[in-house]
Amino acid sequence: MKKYDYIILGTGPAAYQLIKLLATQHKSILAIESGLFGGTCPNVGCEPKIYLDGAVQAALLSKQLEGHGIEQAATMNWSQLMKEKKERFASWANETRKNISKVCDVISGSAHFIDRQTIEANRHYFQGNKIIIATGRRPHELSIPGAKFVHDSSDVLSLNKLPEHVTFIGGGYIAMELATFLAAAGSQVTILVRGDRVLRHFYQKYSRELVVKMKERGIQFKFETEPTRITQLSDKYVVELNQDGPMVTDYVVNASGRTPNIEKLDLSAAQIDYSTRGIDVDRHLQTNVNNIYAIGDVTSQDIPNLTPVAEFQAQYLFNSLENGLTQPINYPVIGTGVFAFPQLAQAGINPDSVLEDGDNFEIKEYELSQSSLYAGQKEKGLLTVVYDKANYIVGVSEISTSAINDINYFIPIIGLRINKNEWHRNVLPIYPALADKIEGILR
């Protein structure tokens, strides 16, 4: 039985970052991956998504400027875009495996616990002084008749031929983004939302506004609606619903959420505490077993499941295990966004959480329509800022065609608690752009 300083389950962003750091300390490491090396983000998630988003944003923005200096809006060639996307990303998993193999031992296959220090993979046993679980999440599985006919986000991001009509199940960021992409390319899109709202973790005023804008482009929403059965009808599918009549569609996408990859790990064999939300960890990212840790999306922490967050956890855990850091993890200001059209983005305190707390917070909304940046566009943009009692910015939310980049301006302002005088003394941004208007928003 081979023994290692570290056994790492998974090779996604959290694990990959940790492996690189541990390799600098010449530790013996075994990395075990049951799926694509590199995980979801670089292969079938944020990287290929943003590649497609560039074309989508250009096409939709040109549509808005049609009649305002643009004579003809751009049209998308989905097949060509997908061909180029595949050429760019097809080799990433193998390249990631090669990179990892340079600094540690690698196994392709499923792994599970035998006890608190022992892992079995491909009928071989391995022991680790410390074991790190970083197996991430996968699309939630539907439990309805005909669930075998649905596709997930990975399928959409490799879809060669554009379906005439696509039905999404779910109202989270994956559904909103992919629906935007496919509708921009020419598909008719319907989104089935179980509840009465989308994007529950975002400022609801702007989430509702995004729905309005998407409806204006022909995307249909059915709220408080769930599929109860899916059947095949020739080359189409019939989706039966809990209300209204059945609907016929060409392609069904399950975007109802993601679930932690823990079932095959046999966590009970190591007596690790977990729930359907993920693996429980303390503020040192340690499980209830003192030599076993969990990082990335597989944990049950109430924080955004984002690549930068996973990499931050990896850096923290490295400093804790190898550099003697004893303080609990303290997350910085986390920015998050939805690559729809218009975009939604936010950082810090969500205005919804302090709407009734006028004694400690002030909420102010700014229209971005006065900026020449938005000349000719229908989407003028709105920015909501949350101030604390000392007049420091503690939260921002925005809906606009450039919300994600705009909010990135505010993250260091919130994290470093910069006021107007400090900004004026130390910053002279490019003009004319949003950054030059921030001084007027600072107090």
Side-chain angles (χ1 to χ4, degrees), residues 176 198-214 338 340-347 350-352 363-368 379-386 395-400 403 407:
M176 301 294 279
V198 300
L199 301 169
R200 290 179 174 272
H201 297 295
F202 283 81
Y203 183 30
Q204 282 303 294
K205 177 180 179 180
Y206 292 169
S207 294
R208 291 191 295 269
E209 180 67 15
L210 176 59
V211 170
V212 171
K213 298 301 182 184
M214 292 175 71
V338 181
F341 191 89
Q343 298 174 346
L344 256 61
Q346 64 186 30
N350 184 326
D352 286 327
I363 299 172
K364 187 170 182 180
E365 185 172 69
Y366 300 86
E367 289 191 19
L368 303 176
E379 313 295 349
K380 299 302 183 181
L382 294 169
L383 170 69
T384 292
V385 180
V386 180
V396 284
S397 298
E398 183 176 329
I399 180 170
S400 76
I407 290 301

Side-chain angles (χ1 to χ4, degrees), residues 7 54 56 68 83 123 129 187 246 254 322 347 390 420:
I7 295 178
V56 171
H68 298 276
K83 179 177 179 293
R123 298 183 179 180
N129 291 332
S187 290
N254 173 21
E322 293 294 326
K420 186 172 184 176

Side-chain angles (χ1 to χ4, degrees), residues 265-395:
L265 295 177
D266 198 4
L267 298 174
S268 59
Q271 298 178 313
I272 299 170
D273 290 341
Y274 67 96
S275 68
T276 56
R277 296 180 62 247
I279 296 174
D280 298 333
V281 294
D282 62 16
R283 293 192 62 196
H284 298 271
L285 302 179
Q286 186 180 69
T287 70
N288 60 301
V289 181
N290 61 14
N291 69 306
I292 301 176
Y293 301 79
I295 54 177
D297 297 357
V298 76
T299 72
S300 62
Q301 298 174 94
D302 189 19
I303 54 173
N305 292 320
L306 303 170
T307 293
V309 174
E311 293 174 339
F312 181 83
Q313 291 175 347
Q315 181 69 61
Y316 167 83
L317 190 58
F318 171 75
N319 289 332
S320 177
L321 298 178
E322 293 294 326
N323 292 335
L325 179 67
T326 59
Q327 291 89 348
I329 191 167
N330 182 27
Y331 290 99
V333 178
I334 300 172
T336 183
V338 181
F339 288 84
F341 191 89
Q343 298 174 346
L344 256 61
Q346 64 186 30
I349 293 176
N350 184 326
D352 286 327
S353 67
V354 294
L355 283 176
E356 306 300 325
D357 192 358
D359 292 335
N360 295 301
F361 298 96
E362 179 186 1
I363 299 172
K364 187 170 182 180
E365 185 172 69
Y366 300 86
E367 289 191 19
L368 303 176
S369 57
Q370 304 304 315
S371 171
S372 297
L373 291 169
Y374 295 90
Q377 297 182 38
K378 295 178 183 178
E379 313 295 349
K380 299 302 183 181
L382 294 169
L383 170 69
T384 292
V385 180
V386 180
Y387 300 92
D388 66 10
K389 289 193 297 185
N391 280 331
Y392 283 97
I393 295 177
V394 292

Side-chain angles (χ1 to χ4, degrees), residues 152-224:
D152 61 26
S153 58
S154 301
D155 298 324
V156 176
L157 292 172
S158 296
L159 188 59
N160 292 318
K161 184 180 179 182
L162 194 68
E164 183 177 341
H165 183 272
V166 181
T167 299
F168 283 88
I169 302 169
Y173 76 94
I174 292 176
M176 301 294 279
E177 290 177 344
L178 296 184
T180 297
F181 293 2
L182 293 178
S187 290
Q188 295 178 339
V189 175
T190 301
I191 301 177
L192 308 179
V193 184
R194 181 176 62 180
D196 61 353
R197 66 191 71 181
V198 300
L199 301 169
R200 290 179 174 272
H201 297 295
F202 283 81
Y203 183 30
Q204 282 303 294
K205 177 180 179 180
Y206 292 169
S207 294
R208 291 191 295 269
E209 180 67 15
L210 176 59
V211 170
V212 171
K213 298 301 182 184
M214 292 175 71
K215 284 182 175 179
E216 290 175 354
R217 297 199 307 277
I219 297 173
Q220 296 183 339
F221 287 81
K222 291 181 177 291
F223 289 97
E224 297 182 340

Side-chain angles (χ1 to χ4, degrees), residues 147-156 237 250-255:
K148 64 181 180 180
F149 297 123
V150 305
H151 300 269
D152 61 26
S153 58
S154 301
D155 298 324
V156 176
Y237 299 92
D250 297 291
Y251 198 84
V252 183
V253 182
N254 173 21

